[in-house]
Amino acid sequence: MLSLNNVHVYYGAIHALKGISFEVNEGEIVTLIGSNGAGKSTCLKTISGLLRPKEGTMQFKGIDLTKVSAPEVVTKGISQVPEGRRIFANMSVSENLDLGAYQRRDKEGIKQDIERVYTLFPRLKERRRQLAGTLSGGEQQMLAMGRALMSKPQLLLLDEPSMGLAPLLVKQIFEIIVEINSLGTTILLVEQNARMALSVASRAYVLETGKIVLSGDAKELMESDEIQKAYLGG
């Protein structure tokens, strides 16, 4: 579904991604793990069109993403849940969800997808008229995910969904991620909680200072001594 080949990305003079290559197959949950500053979020921003690669190619279902603008990327079937949620705090929950469907014109489909989001996240239905900025951190994360789903993505990019959440909420969010995937949405997950990420993913890539240093089956990587020592406290 998605492939990156030898992608290099810079922030000014800083070489953030140094020849990244990886792929995501349809129906998978693939995770990128690594420490702060490894380049995980930069990968997602590049796929989303928010950053431009200086070298390399990106393909999504046969489409060259290299020069596609961020709004166009959404219309192609990719949606991102950004790090820090980035919900519209002064708008209601339902208005935030409506904005997720901004580029859609199928009114009946939008109605059905709003109900689907409310089924996935019953708390959002209870708070649909509440200002998004007054929600708890966990509820805001649910809203950010729901808003992304409203664009009807084939590929969902999740950037640090567990950040700042209590352990019980983290477990709940990851259960919902698995459910979203089971309903047919492919997921590329960036997550510092390596244990949780590896427990739900089928495959994983490990980033260090802008390079992929390890990749493979997520469960096998979880058992490896290297990953245990570096990311799982083993």
Side-chain angles (χ1 to χ4, degrees):
M1 179 180 264
L2 174 75
S3 64
L4 276 68
N5 183 38
N6 194 35
V7 170
H8 292 257
V9 176
Y10 290 76
Y11 290 104
I14 298 168
H15 198 174
L17 295 183
K18 303 167 184 173
I20 291 283
S21 298
F22 68 84
E23 61 184 34
V24 180
N25 299 313
E26 192 163 355
E28 286 188 308
I29 299 178
V30 172
T31 186
L32 306 178
I33 63 172
S35 57
N36 270 334
K40 306 185 302 296
S41 294
T42 301
C43 276
L44 296 195
K45 288 176 183 174
T46 305
I47 295 163
S48 291
L50 299 170
L51 294 171
R52 290 267 177 249
K54 197 164 186 179
E55 295 176 48
T57 59
M58 300 187 298
Q59 294 271 332
F60 176 69
K61 300 196 86 168
I63 301 163
D64 180 5
L65 287 181
T66 314
K67 295 178 181 176
V68 177
S69 69
E72 285 181 290
V73 168
V74 178
T75 66
K76 303 297 182 194
I78 300 175
S79 191
Q80 181 167 346
V81 180
E83 181 180 354
R85 295 132 203 177
R86 303 290 182 90
I87 46 104
F88 298 98
N90 294 321
M91 301 177 75
S92 70
V93 166
S94 64
E95 287 169 336
N96 270 266
L97 294 178
D98 287 342
L99 279 173
Y102 179 74
Q103 300 198 63
R104 293 175 60 181
R105 297 292 176 265
D106 55 323
K107 289 185 179 179
E108 281 308 309
I110 290 168
K111 280 182 187 175
Q112 289 170 11
D113 285 336
I114 283 178
E115 287 309 312
R116 177 187 171 209
V117 168
Y118 285 151
T119 301
L120 278 169
F121 305 103
R123 193 79 59 84
L124 296 183
K125 187 168 188 177
E126 293 169 15
R127 299 190 177 2
R128 60 189 180 276
R129 294 187 181 87
Q130 193 170 319
L131 289 182
T134 65
L135 299 177
S136 70
E139 290 164 348
Q140 289 186 15
Q141 184 61 52
M142 293 173 189
L143 178 56
M145 291 167 69
R147 180 184 60 189
L149 289 171
M150 285 305 299
S151 69
K152 212 163 187 176
Q154 297 166 63
L155 174 64
L156 183 64
L157 310 178
L158 287 169
D159 196 352
E160 303 285 5
S162 76
M163 182 181 283
L165 301 184
L168 196 60
L169 275 173
V170 171
K171 185 173 181 290
Q172 187 179 351
I173 289 293
F174 273 85
E175 285 170 354
I176 292 167
I177 289 169
V178 170
E179 186 173 353
I180 290 168
N181 177 247
S182 72
L183 293 171
T185 305
T186 305
I187 292 172
L188 178 58
L189 168 66
V190 158
E191 180 57 62
Q192 267 204 289
N193 187 333
R195 190 178 299 279
M196 288 299 295
L198 291 169
S199 73
V200 300
S202 49
R203 293 187 303 110
Y205 295 88
V206 182
L207 273 72
E208 285 181 10
T209 58
K211 293 179 181 178
I212 291 173
V213 295
L214 276 174
S215 65
D217 178 87
K219 306 302 180 286
E220 289 177 9
L221 283 176
M222 196 188 289
E223 298 301 320
S224 78
D225 290 342
E226 197 171 344
I227 296 296
Q228 286 278 342
K229 288 173 185 173
Y231 303 105
L232 305 177

